[in-house]
């Protein structure tokens, strides 16, 4: 037996005791130490685990709302209204309504502008011109009143005459003479004016002469003749080269109008502001008007039977 084997039993017991004591003391230290914290896995390693099926994903923490500035918290009602209206949010219906309102406003503006243009000549007229225009209107009213009284007189004569047939025949003859003058089938004479238009630059057109004829008729002209052509109700004017065509008859400048009517009404009607004379003078034409107590209109028109119109008494 070796020396190691000869170790006394007491010593062996001591050795066990020391080992046991060491293990006991080791367990006591473990109890006193805090429990070990398991290591936290990195975020990169946890991401796949969270995406595994069958596992609920933990809700992510929401960031805290940022505190609003005091200026926004203290907005007044007017400022909130401005923020709600601007920038504007245009819908299709609002756009259609805006287009319709724009069209309506544009139409009203055009109408007002046209009325202003028509009245501009009178607004810039002199007092003498305005008085003359008023006198002309009064004369026209008086002519219509005289015509009305004449017709009433003829009616009374027919009703009160003992020989109504003879009276009717006389009135028929007189009416035929008057209608012949208007139709241009008979010659006429009486007081009136002579208007001569010199057009050296060939700037006068047919519509300008037509305006002169219409103005003369409105002023009470009863018979009109232009360069040997009788003007009647169906007269038409056209541009023809450097001249003007009247019912197919070409006439050249100077244009000479022979008009029967009241001179005191005819001449002012042509000289009103913005009227015939001013329009022709803007085209560098020269207009001369002469009054006369006797004007002869001897150009005649052949009587033409209407193609379709017939007297209702037949």
């Amino acid at each position: 037996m070796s020396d190691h084997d000869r170790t006394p039993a007491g010593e062996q017991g001591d050795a066990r005791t020391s080992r046991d004591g060491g293990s006991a003391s080791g367990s006591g230290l473990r109890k006193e130490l805090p429990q070990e914290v398991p290591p936290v896995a990195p975020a990169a390693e946890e991401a796949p685990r969270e995406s595994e099926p069958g596992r609920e994903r933990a809700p992510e923490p929401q960031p805290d709302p940022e505190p609003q500035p005091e200026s926004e918290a203290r907005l007044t009602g007017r400022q909130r209204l401005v923020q709600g209206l601007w920038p504007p949010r245009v819908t299709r219906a609002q756009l259609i309504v805006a287009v319709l309102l724009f069209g309506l406003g544009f139409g009203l503006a055009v109408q007002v502008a046209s009325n202003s243009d028509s009245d501009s000549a009178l607004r810039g007229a002199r007092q003498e011109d305005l008085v003359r225009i008023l006198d002309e209107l009064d004369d026209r009213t008086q002519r219509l009143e005289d015509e009305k009284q004449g017709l009433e007189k003829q009616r009374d004569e027919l009703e009160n005459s003992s020989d109504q047939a003879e009276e009717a025949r006389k009135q028929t003859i007189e009416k035929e003479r008057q209608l012949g003058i208007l139709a241009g089938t008979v010659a006429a004479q009486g007081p009136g004016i002579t208007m001569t238009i010199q057009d050296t630059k060939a700037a006068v057109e047919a519509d300008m002469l037509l305006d002169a004829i219409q103005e003369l008729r409105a002023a009470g002209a009863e018979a009109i003749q232009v360069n040997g052509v009788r003007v009647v109700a169906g007269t038409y004017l056209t541009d023809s080269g450097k001249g003007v065509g009247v019912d197919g008859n070409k006439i050249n400048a100077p244009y000479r109008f022979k008009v029967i009517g009241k001179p005191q009404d005819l001449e002012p009607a042509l000289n009103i502001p913005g009227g015939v004379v001013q329009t022709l003078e803007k085209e560098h034409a020269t207009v001369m008007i002469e009054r006369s107590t006797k004007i002869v209109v001897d150009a005649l028109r052949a009587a033409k039977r209407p193609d379709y119109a017939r007297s209702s008494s037949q």
Side-chain angles (χ1 to χ4, degrees), residues 208-252:
M208 301 177 186
L209 299 183
L210 181 60
D211 290 341
I213 293 174
Q214 291 177 344
E215 193 66 40
L216 290 169
R217 284 175 172 170
E222 298 176 351
I224 304 175
Q225 177 177 319
V226 183
N227 287 28
V229 180
R230 188 72 170 266
V231 177
V232 295
T235 296
Y236 62 92
L237 285 80
T238 58
D239 292 322
S240 179
K242 294 184 178 181
V244 176
V246 181
D247 290 338
N249 302 308
K250 184 178 180 180
I251 59 176
N252 299 317

Side-chain angles (χ1 to χ4, degrees), residues 28 40 64 82 161 166 230 242-243 263 284 290:
V40 180
D64 297 335
V82 172
S161 177
E166 181 64 21
R230 188 72 170 266
K242 294 184 178 181
H284 305 285
E290 297 179 0

Side-chain angles (χ1 to χ4, degrees), residues 144-179:
L144 293 175
E145 186 66 26
D146 294 341
E147 184 178 357
K148 175 184 176 183
Q149 292 179 0
L151 294 175
E152 291 177 350
K153 182 179 179 180
Q154 292 178 5
R155 183 195 61 187
D156 296 339
E157 290 176 353
L158 285 174
E159 292 177 352
N160 300 328
S161 177
S162 57
D163 190 354
Q164 296 183 357
E166 181 64 21
E167 185 64 28
R169 187 182 66 82
K170 291 180 180 180
Q171 292 188 8
T172 301
I173 295 174
E174 180 64 21
K175 195 67 175 180
E176 181 182 3
R177 186 184 64 84
Q178 295 177 0
L179 294 177

Side-chain angles (χ1 to χ4, degrees), residues 28-51:
L29 291 174
R30 289 189 184 94
K31 291 179 181 179
E32 291 178 2
L33 292 174
Q35 188 176 0
E36 296 181 359
V37 179
V40 180
E45 297 179 0
E46 290 182 359
R49 294 178 183 178
E50 293 177 358
S51 61

Side-chain angles (χ1 to χ4, degrees), residues 47-105:
R49 294 178 183 178
E50 293 177 358
S51 61
E52 292 179 1
R55 298 186 60 181
E56 295 182 357
R57 184 175 180 179
E60 296 181 359
Q62 299 294 333
D64 297 335
E66 297 182 359
Q68 296 182 354
E70 295 182 0
S71 60
E72 296 182 1
R74 297 178 181 178
L75 291 178
T76 63
R78 181 178 299 179
Q79 292 175 343
R80 293 193 188 96
L81 178 61
V82 172
Q83 289 183 355
L85 296 177
W86 189 266
R89 300 174 180 84
V90 181
T91 63
R92 183 176 181 182
Q94 293 174 345
L95 183 60
I96 294 175
V97 172
V99 171
L100 294 176
L101 291 177
F102 174 78
L104 178 60

Side-chain angles (χ1 to χ4, degrees), residues 263-276:
Q264 293 80 1
D265 296 337
L266 299 176
E267 183 178 2
L270 298 173
N271 288 315
I272 61 174
V276 175

